[in-house]
Amino acid sequence: MGAEGNKALIRHILNAYAQSDLGPLLSAIHPDIVWTSQSPAALFGFGGSHKGRAGALTEYYDSASLLLAEGRLVPARAATG
């Protein structure tokens, strides 16, 4: 894929993401992804290595107080203060 194709893909992913649609993002991520974060797991639940789309994204979004449900972002709780 060339530069224009890459730009179009990113625009598509971001436009869908803005509508809480994770389908294009999930499709773009390789099924065998290994996401490694150097964040301490004691402070951030997504610290460490996570394998596969579900492992990588679920850990990240759970740590961000969001649930991944049917390919959409659903707030689990709201911050107050």
Side-chain angles (χ1 to χ4, degrees):
M1 181 181 307
E4 291 307 314
N6 288 337
K7 289 178 189 178
L9 176 61
I10 294 300
R11 276 193 291 272
H12 176 66
I13 290 170
L14 292 177
N15 286 334
Y17 189 87
Q19 301 301 314
S20 298
D21 179 3
L22 295 180
L25 173 61
L26 294 174
S27 294
I29 295 173
H30 194 280
D32 297 328
I33 183 175
V34 176
W35 177 325
T36 301
S37 172
Q38 299 303 316
S39 301
L43 297 176
F44 302 101
F46 58 86
S49 291
H50 308 282
K51 296 179 181 177
R53 288 178 185 145
L57 293 176
T58 300
E59 289 297 329
Y60 175 78
Y61 284 112
D62 281 353
S63 296
S65 299
L66 298 171
L67 296 176
L68 186 58
E70 297 178 13
R72 301 186 69 77
L73 296 177
V74 180
R77 65 177 182 259
T80 59

